[in-house]
Amino acid sequence: MRISVIGCGYLGAVHAASMAKLGHEVVAVDVDPVKIERLAAGDAPFFEPGLPEILSEAIESGRIRFTTDMSEVAGARVHFVAVGTPQGPTGAADLTYVDAAVAALTQYVAADEFVVGKSTVPVGTAARLATSLSAAVPGATLVWNPEFLREGFAVQDTISPDRLVYGVPSGAAGESAVAALDEVYATTLAEGTPRLVVDLATAELVKVSANAFLATKISFINAMAEIAEVVGADVTALADAIGHDARIGRKFLNAGLGFGGGCLPKDIRAFQARATELGVGESLAFLADVDAINLRRRAHVVTLAEDLLGGDVTGKHVAVLGLAFKPNSDDVRDSPSLDITARLHELGAVVSAYDPEANGTAARIHPEVHYVDSADEALRGADLVLVLTEWNEFRQLDPAVVAGLVGRPVVVDGRNCLDRDAWTAAGFTVRGMGR
Ligand code: UDX
């Protein structure tokens, strides 16, 4: 099938390359000429495992084309909208890019074609866009097909997702939309992936409520960590124990620095803002606490660092291991790790920060921080070690070797990812999260 993908960020670039991998002929559009040039040369503009491989394969097969020229989408049957919906100044989602993409698309979309939203939007957006699309192009149909991909597993989550959700209008237009999307995802559906067909509003809500639930689960366990810290209990053992209850489950119960990234923090704020607009703000009032618990973890680590450095970080050498919001990503959007790093620098600590992939993205946001090229370099002479993102490289560090590099053997395990006994045996004072 001929497919267009509008937006080549973390979502769109992976989606476009994955569609080509599934055998479709894809034209991918972005307004950023630098990004398009890199993608066209097979150079992924961000770190995502598996993306370089499927991108090269798609380019070699001739099934993908990258362009800044929207008119090239003409002739595609399905047009995916995968542009960003960043947080606006009030917390509500900024829909500028989605509105602009759909407005630009309407000039080239024909009747019997489908505009398929993938971006995360406030509930009600799809219905509004559907009205403007059918006014501009009678016979074209707008549908919503939310994306649940996790960074670091984006390719796998796109090609073999755990479910497909189609938000479609009722009647014949909805039926043709389902048939078209079934053709797009034929390979995925053949693997037995569950497919849910719902109305537009439900599809939009599925996405934001899934993220709100995940954020709540993380903040729940971080709230338990706060209590465990006071009473001397171990939140990891607690998570293991409650996680055995199949109704609760062990996943997303890792206490640590809390959630960051381009989705969960902004999505829970946008969801609250939308609920308030709809007059049901009370229904999501709890998300303000979810957000507050999450942000408290960052403040907690800064305070812990101050305590471990004798009350004042000024002039103290702090080794930061990890800047990305999670491992296997170079994304530092709303990253707890980078936030803590910048705060310690601001407080006067002499920070040496290292991330296997995110030094560059971090330096763009916080150029004032000192970044180094290896964990060893960061660790040398450190008064305090902070492990802030749980990359395997850090999990696998030999504490005996690290002990020989640092000035003082004190480590904060911000992700509860280190072998506490091994580090303690190597002479370290180890402070975890909620343990
Ligand atoms: C998330 C959703 O998982 C995905 O379905 C949606 O499409 C986009 O948002 P992503 O932002 O890639 O994906 O990251 P995710 O793996 O969900 O992690 C989010 C944050 O929560 C990270 O900062 C991670 O470190 C943190 N986290 C996750 C915890 O602190 N504890 C956990 O137990 C799990």
Side-chain angles (χ1 to χ4, degrees), residues 148-149 151 207 218 252-254 259-260 263 325-326 415:
F148 305 103
L149 65 80
E151 287 177 27
K207 170 68 194 205
I218 298 168
F252 266 66
L253 279 186
N254 293 323
F259 55 82
C263 290
F325 84 103
K326 66 176 196 180
R415 298 289 182 175

Side-chain angles (χ1 to χ4, degrees), residues 13 16-17 20 24-28 55 58-59 61-66:
H24 302 300
E25 199 181 307
V26 181
V27 54
L55 189 58
I59 292 168
S61 70
R63 283 200 299 271
I64 202 163
R65 195 165 83 247
F66 292 96

Side-chain angles (χ1 to χ4, degrees), residues 120 147-153 157 163 207 210-211 214 217-218 221-222 250-265 267 294 324-327 331 334-336 390 415:
T120 303
E147 182 58 60
F148 305 103
L149 65 80
R150 297 159 298 166
E151 287 177 27
F153 301 91
D157 284 353
R163 79 285 209 191
K207 170 68 194 205
N211 278 354
L214 293 172
K217 211 172 170 190
I218 298 168
I221 202 65
N222 281 328
R250 179 63 179 82
K251 289 184 182 158
F252 266 66
L253 279 186
N254 293 323
L257 305 181
F259 55 82
C263 290
L264 299 191
D267 288 354
N294 193 53
F325 84 103
K326 66 176 196 180
D331 195 349
D334 212 335
S335 168
E390 67 275 36
R415 298 289 182 175

Side-chain angles (χ1 to χ4, degrees), residues 198-248:
V198 298
D199 56 80
L200 291 176
T202 304
E204 292 166 310
L205 271 181
V206 167
K207 170 68 194 205
V208 285
S209 59
N211 278 354
F213 190 87
L214 293 172
T216 304
K217 211 172 170 190
I218 298 168
S219 278
F220 174 84
I221 202 65
N222 281 328
M224 296 309 110
E226 290 183 338
I227 295 169
E229 272 152 20
V230 171
V231 299
D234 182 343
V235 77
T236 303
L238 179 132
D240 290 343
I242 63 172
H244 277 295
D245 183 333
R247 295 169 302 174
I248 296 173

Side-chain angles (χ1 to χ4, degrees), residues 269-285:
R269 292 168 199 151
F271 197 12
Q272 289 172 84
R274 184 63 183 140
T276 304
E277 274 170 25
L278 293 167
V280 284
E282 272 177 26
S283 305
L284 296 184

